[in-house]
Amino acid sequence: MEPLSFSDLKNKVCVITGGAGVLGTAMVKAIASVGTKIAIADINKEVADKVAAEIAAESGAEVIGIEANVLDKASLEKAKVEINEKLGEIDILINGAGGNSPQATTKVEVMTEENMDKLEDTFYGLEMEGFDKVFALNFKGTLLPTMVFTTDMLKNKKGVVLNVSSMNSYKPLTKIPAYSAAKASINNFTEWLSVHLAKVGIRVNAIAPGFFITHQNRFLVMDEKTGNYSPRGQKIVDNTPMGKFGEPEDLQGATLFLISDVSNFITGIVIPVDGGYSAFGGV
Ligand code: NAD
């Protein structure tokens, strides 16, 4: 038998939404390393172009930046036309765009008799605008690109979707109810869609990253003044059996595994990449 490899990914076409972000960039590097053609579909075209140019130069793979808003179907359809023209039919979709926002974050972790008269710091003070924004970005921002970017796969009766979930999907973290609910919906949607598409050759899976220090959570896990972990950041490390935050590169193996034919009998699963966080009961 030939040694197993990711060679089936060579010259395939992969679209990754939010691919210009911290975790997305690490995933793009891994995928480019096996010769896949990649479109980084991101709302921030300037950064998408920059990341694409750097990774293309480093890997020799064809990597392009494309402007797309995952919440706007017309923008995604326009992006698809451009990707088809520049790279060909789409074989793989990674739904990487997502994140939390301070506007959808409570100031206190739990309500107590001491803080219950400051309702603005609690669940009761959350503005619907922030809640809607975060829920939409994570849920609708996965749903719409999947509708638009999988039609070539349908035609070819072969393709892969990889969603990006989170630890919050299993057990919600305090303070971030919109993000937690939205990521739980990603696991549910991953299972639902995997069943819906199983007989037409499209596999649908997800990865659930543990904790990585990135733009969207730095304000929660680091103390800006001292540069040390915040009490919340320290709690995360204490509850991660491997005793550390992850490095974005730690997502690369699971990503390649799930998008390649190596996993061709696997659909509807969510793989945690979390240093053991989701396995630990806290004691
Ligand atoms: P990031 O903020 O670095 O990157 C997100 C990217 O998405 C950015 O390039 C941004 O421009 C793009 N984006 C935002 N809104 C968009 C829109 N409407 N349309 C298109 N693109 C848009 O985030 P990250 O930390 O790399 O996170 C990537 C994914 O991983 C997200 O789904 C996030 O929820 C998830 N995640 C992150 C962590 C973590 O610890 N950072 C943990 C678990 C899951």
Side-chain angles (χ1 to χ4, degrees):
M1 165 181 161
E2 289 288 309
L4 280 179
S5 75
F6 299 122
S7 58
D8 63 286
L9 292 172
K10 195 169 168 61
N11 292 325
K12 284 210 176 131
V13 175
C14 173
V15 178
I16 174 166
T17 69
V22 179
L23 302 186
T25 298
M27 291 161 92
V28 173
K29 281 186 184 162
I31 303 163
S33 76
V34 295
T36 309
K37 299 179 201 172
I38 305 165
I40 298 178
D42 203 287
I43 203 162
N44 191 336
K45 170 88 159 84
E46 204 183 317
V47 185
D49 282 343
K50 188 167 163 279
V51 171
E54 278 168 16
I55 298 178
E58 199 181 284
S59 65
E62 214 173 325
V63 187
I64 59 171
I66 297 278
E67 185 167 355
N69 178 356
V70 293
L71 298 175
D72 176 356
K73 201 168 179 198
S75 138
L76 294 164
E77 281 163 347
K78 185 165 166 270
K80 180 171 183 292
V81 171
E82 206 179 326
I83 294 165
N84 285 158
E85 272 168 20
K86 293 190 171 150
L87 300 181
E89 292 187 342
I90 298 165
D91 303 292
I92 300 157
L93 167 65
I94 300 181
N95 284 308
N100 186 40
S101 152
Q103 279 177 292
T105 305
T106 62
K107 290 210 174 57
V108 296
E109 290 189 348
V110 294
M111 287 188 78
T112 60
E113 286 191 13
E114 284 72 44
N115 67 26
M116 67 185 291
D117 54 348
K118 278 188 86 184
L119 285 185
E120 67 273 20
D121 290 352
T122 74
F123 165 70
Y124 298 96
L126 287 175
E127 299 284 346
M128 278 322 290
E129 195 194 337
F131 204 101
D132 284 347
K133 211 172 89 182
V134 168
F135 199 88
L137 176 61
N138 291 282
F139 184 65
K140 194 171 157 198
T142 292
L143 190 78
L144 282 180
T146 305
M147 270 181 191
V148 174
F149 292 132
T150 57
T151 51
D152 296 338
M153 304 180 202
L154 211 50
K155 197 178 81 186
N156 297 325
K157 295 231 173 57
K158 188 169 168 61
V160 180
V161 177
L162 181 65
N163 295 328
V164 179
S165 181
S166 152
M167 285 302 108
N168 286 277
S169 68
Y170 305 113
K171 283 269 174 252
L173 260 63
T174 55
K175 292 182 138 185
I176 48 177
Y179 184 70
S180 300
K183 288 301 191 186
S185 77
I186 291 301
N187 293 15
N188 190 283
F189 177 61
T190 298
E191 292 183 342
W192 185 88
L193 195 67
S194 72
V195 173
H196 196 66
L197 298 178
K199 290 194 171 59
V200 292
I202 302 177
R203 297 188 297 116
V204 186
N205 292 297
I207 54 170
F211 296 91
F212 298 79
I213 299 174
T214 55
H215 307 312
Q216 57 170 294
N217 64 12
R218 187 174 301 275
F219 75 101
L220 285 171
V221 300
M222 297 301 293
D223 179 335
E224 272 175 31
K225 283 188 205 115
T226 63
N228 297 327
Y229 295 139
S230 66
R232 191 177 173 88
Q234 189 60 51
K235 243 198 263 183
I236 288 170
V237 172
D238 293 342
N239 279 284
T240 301
M242 288 189 178
K244 57 182 185 180
F245 280 85
E247 298 296 332
E249 291 72 25
D250 293 332
L251 297 172
Q252 293 173 328
T255 300
L256 289 179
F257 170 67
L258 286 174
I259 65 171
S260 129
D261 287 347
V262 167
S263 63
N264 69 5
F265 196 48
I266 296 179
T267 196
I269 67 160
V270 183
I271 297 188
V273 184
D274 67 348
Y277 180 89
S278 60
F280 183 44
V283 179

